[in-house]
Amino acid sequence: MRRCAFALLAIVFVLRAGAAFAATSAVAEIEAHRHLGVASCSNSVCHGASQPFRDSNVAQNEFAIWQEFDPHAKAYQTLTNATSASIARKLGIGDATKAKICLDCHADSIAEDKRGERFQLSDGVGCESCHGGAELWLNAHADRSVTHADNVAKGMYPTDKPVERAELCLSCHMGTKDRMITHRIMGAGHPRLSFELDTFTWLNPHYKIGEAWNKRKGEWNGVRDWAVGQGVAAGNLLDLVVDEKAGWQGIFPELVLFDCHACHKVMSANRWGPRQGTGLGPGVVRLNDANLLMFRHVLAPVDKAAAARVLEQTRALHKATTQSRSDTFAAARRLRATLDGLLPQVAGFAYGPESLDPILASIEADAKRGEYRDYASAEQVAMAAQSVVVAFENDGKLDAEKTKTLRARLDGLYDVLKNEDAYSPQRFTTALAALRAVAP
Ligand code: HEC
Ligand code: HEC
Ligand code: HEC
Ligand code: HEC
């Protein structure tokens, strides 16, 4: 019975994932219909209840959680603070709360003629920034006879589907052609962006996933979400690399696409060492390949030969960046096509408890080869380890003692990452081995 459900799901995912690579972007889908504003969702009998409702499909207190705990609710307010004022001054863009480049990610910056009467820019990243314009579904969606599919057909964004969710989150958390973050913005003092789909989905949730959710929306799988997030982010990097407008600034490629610490590190540290994942020599600026690197581990339980192909094509891309722009574009397009072929397979794969060990083994093997010299990859490894630890816990095979040890080792891994300027790959490798040693 369960197996049938999985098989069916796999087909659905293949179709959806295929569709996700069509011309429409997440941002275009989110902005397809009029946005009515957070006030249209926050009535106490809608999503503004103070306590969870008992007989409803959803808790209905989502607004209260978002407003109190979710940084998205304060994203516009951030643009009024001193850091934002300083960033805006250095960039010479005037008031940050009026600059489109900032509003694109810190608010629901849909075109003015698509804003409903109760819409307010100051609501920040509101409900419709993620769930899509409610124009056509607001009235109908509360009726119990209406299915999730009915809502999606009317423009509700499928946040439940990992490929689509990744595309949505990354539009702000990595930057895409639609909403671009540049090295100039970073240079003015914007924090470096880093993202991992599964970890970030569970940092401030206003939703609960359980039997009932699975029945309505399909089987939830955190490890699969991690895997899909890596593939979509890697694909986005390649899309930006080959985009003449987003990927290039004057004679330089857009530096935000490169490993920050390749340039930003202490000159006297003498820290360089070879990495098989790049094949590059010393003194070369390298693309930020953290997601490409992780995507190989994603493939460990799915298709080992494909993982080897991704490695080989990633090395070819790194090499091409030392040759010419046209070689780089060709290598990026080749690798993009490979990812396009693999992503549906990953999105449809039922990562079960038996997948966790091959993933950890693959991650650790790379550690021994010195692959996590770069901070950005180590950061992704820590978030992957977190996803795996949660999956072990959910599998119900850990006793309280074991859970405690595993959690403590995970904290140890994050500890090594606390200060990015003093990052030590050796300490990271040791902490990772310690975690693996206590994994089931
Ligand atoms: C419209 C842009 C936008 C979209 C879409 C978006 N985010 Fe964000 N997110 C932001 C901004 C901006 C912040 C920082 C808010 C602040 O502190 O001002 C943020 C902050 C966060 C944080 C807090 C990070 C921290 O360091 O504590 C999490 C977690 C997060 N987002 C998860 C997600 C997830 C998961 C998705 C996709 C379902 C998503 N976001 C979609 C713009 C966005
Ligand atoms: C591509 C999307 C994007 C753009 C463009 C963008 N931001 Fe951000 N910004 C984010 C995200 C995402 C975060 C949260 C990072 C995290 O915590 O992971 C953030 C964080 C910040 C923070 C730190 C917030 C905190 O709580 O520490 C400030 C300040 C900020 N942004 C200001 C700006 C300003 C000013 C602009 C315009 C020049 C701008 N941002 C443009 C996505 C963006
Ligand atoms: C940063 C993106 C983001 C924002 C902003 C956001 N949501 Fe969500 N929401 C999600 C994600 C991701 C899920 C979980 C996946 C799913 O159920 O589709 C979710 C789930 C939900 C659910 C549960 C659906 C279910 O079937 O169990 C409701 C209801 C909901 N959101 C309402 C709201 C409301 C109301 C707001 C504004 C106050 C809001 N959301 C703001 C991303 C967001
Ligand atoms: C190719 C090398 C290179 C890469 C890669 C690179 N930067 Fe830079 N960065 C520079 C240069 C050059 C400057 C300008 C220094 C100056 O103005 O004195 C700079 C300036 C900065 C500054 C301002 C520092 C200051 O003292 O005001 C910040 C912050 C910054 N970069 C962050 C980042 C982040 C985050 C990344 C990765 C997303 C990144 N950089 C990637 C070369 C690089």
Side-chain angles (χ1 to χ4, degrees):
M1 170 68 208
R2 228 179 143 83
R3 293 223 160 262
C4 288
F6 270 130
L8 200 67
L9 261 179
I11 295 166
V12 174
F13 276 127
V14 168
L15 292 175
R16 285 222 60 103
F21 288 120
T24 66
S25 66
V27 175
E29 282 184 48
I30 289 287
E31 296 185 347
H33 304 287
R34 186 178 285 270
H35 286 204
L36 306 178
V38 173
S40 314
C41 318
S42 62
N43 190 294
S44 63
V45 297
C46 302
H47 297 288
S50 53
Q51 294 298 321
F53 271 43
R54 249 188 255 138
D55 353 281
S56 165
N57 276 338
V58 304
Q60 297 193 213
N61 63 347
E62 294 83 9
F63 168 75
I65 296 177
W66 170 83
Q67 192 177 42
E68 190 166 347
F69 301 106
D70 189 337
H72 292 119
K74 319 249 159 32
Y76 175 88
Q77 231 165 288
T78 294
L79 297 181
T80 65
N81 74 18
T83 312
S84 287
S86 162
I87 295 173
R89 194 170 52 247
K90 288 181 186 172
L91 291 170
I93 56 172
D95 182 349
T97 64
K98 305 225 157 55
K100 181 173 178 335
I101 182 74
C102 308
L103 291 169
D104 274 352
C105 297
H106 284 264
D108 184 353
S109 83
I110 189 163
E112 276 180 45
D113 62 356
K114 278 199 172 157
R115 297 177 187 176
E117 276 162 35
R118 308 179 77 182
F119 179 97
Q120 291 187 59
L121 207 52
S122 58
D123 283 333
V125 179
C127 318
E128 291 163 291
S129 303
C130 290
H131 292 293
E135 180 177 15
L136 303 182
W137 54 260
L138 183 72
N139 287 334
H141 84 292
D143 193 311
R144 268 183 170 259
S145 64
V146 172
T147 65
H148 182 52
D150 296 334
N151 293 326
V152 170
K154 289 192 172 135
M156 185 183 275
Y157 192 78
T159 42
D160 51 316
K161 300 283 182 286
V163 171
E164 284 82 346
R165 176 154 30 97
E167 288 173 341
L168 167 69
C169 309
L170 287 167
S171 71
C172 296
H173 283 271
M174 179 174 181
T176 57
K177 283 183 231 180
D178 304 293
R179 295 171 173 156
M180 191 57 186
I181 189 108
T182 61
H183 181 259
R184 290 172 196 211
I185 298 178
M186 299 288 172
H190 195 279
R192 186 175 59 87
L193 298 184
S194 76
F195 185 79
E196 191 279 290
L197 185 63
D198 188 37
T199 307
F200 275 60
T201 296
W202 291 106
L203 281 178
N204 323 282
H206 53 273
Y207 34 82
K208 280 207 172 74
I209 311 294
E211 287 287 315
W213 189 97
N214 286 345
K215 221 181 245 161
R216 280 184 292 115
K217 290 182 161 172
E219 204 75 27
W220 186 274
N221 184 325
V223 174
R224 179 202 59 206
D225 288 1
W226 159 71
V228 165
Q230 296 303 327
V232 175
N236 185 45
L237 172 81
L238 299 173
D239 288 349
L240 292 173
V241 167
V242 303
D243 189 289
E244 298 271 1
K245 240 171 88 197
W248 295 82
Q249 292 278 323
I251 64 167
F252 289 108
E254 172 47 64
L255 298 184
V256 87
L257 306 178
F258 289 77
D259 183 75
C260 311
H261 304 94
C263 295
H264 293 286
K265 69 177 168 199
V266 186
M267 217 188 273
S268 59
N270 226 357
R271 266 198 229 144
W272 188 83
R275 269 190 51 204
Q276 66 145 12
T278 68
L280 296 170
V284 180
V285 185
R286 54 195 169 274
L287 284 168
N288 179 355
D289 63 348
N291 300 120
L292 280 164
L293 201 168
M294 297 313 293
F295 194 63
R296 297 194 337 248
H297 304 313
V298 162
L299 291 169
V302 184
D303 185 342
K304 284 225 162 89
R309 204 164 359 120
V310 170
L311 171 62
E312 182 239 311
Q313 292 185 354
T314 302
R315 284 170 58 97
L317 171 64
H318 281 298
K319 183 162 183 224
T321 63
T322 66
Q323 292 165 335
S324 71
R325 195 192 287 205
S326 60
D327 286 352
T328 302
F329 282 22
R333 292 203 173 100
R334 218 173 305 128
L335 183 50
R336 182 63 162 115
T338 301
L339 297 186
D340 277 355
L342 292 172
L343 196 54
Q345 214 179 317
V346 166
F349 190 74
Y351 285 87
E354 69 293 344
S355 318
L356 304 179
D357 191 55
I359 291 171
L360 278 182
S362 171
I363 288 177
E364 207 196 354
D366 256 1
K368 294 207 171 108
R369 288 189 283 257
E371 276 300 273
Y372 310 132
R373 281 179 195 286
D374 294 329
Y375 181 85
S377 336
E379 192 176 51
Q380 285 297 333
V381 168
M383 292 191 276
Q386 176 166 343
S387 195
V388 168
V389 168
V390 171
F392 278 132
E393 287 170 0
N394 290 346
D395 190 33
K397 291 213 188 80
L398 302 178
D399 56 28
E401 194 54 34
K402 192 101 181 159
T403 304
K404 227 175 102 196
T405 327
L406 211 52
R407 282 269 161 193
R409 301 276 164 105
L410 184 62
D411 291 346
L413 201 58
Y414 274 109
D415 271 348
V416 183
L417 299 175
K418 269 197 183 133
N419 179 358
E420 60 188 282
D421 297 323
Y423 168 64
S424 156
Q426 286 78 14
R427 278 185 57 211
F428 188 76
T429 305
T430 309
L432 185 63
L435 175 83
R436 177 96 203 286
V438 295

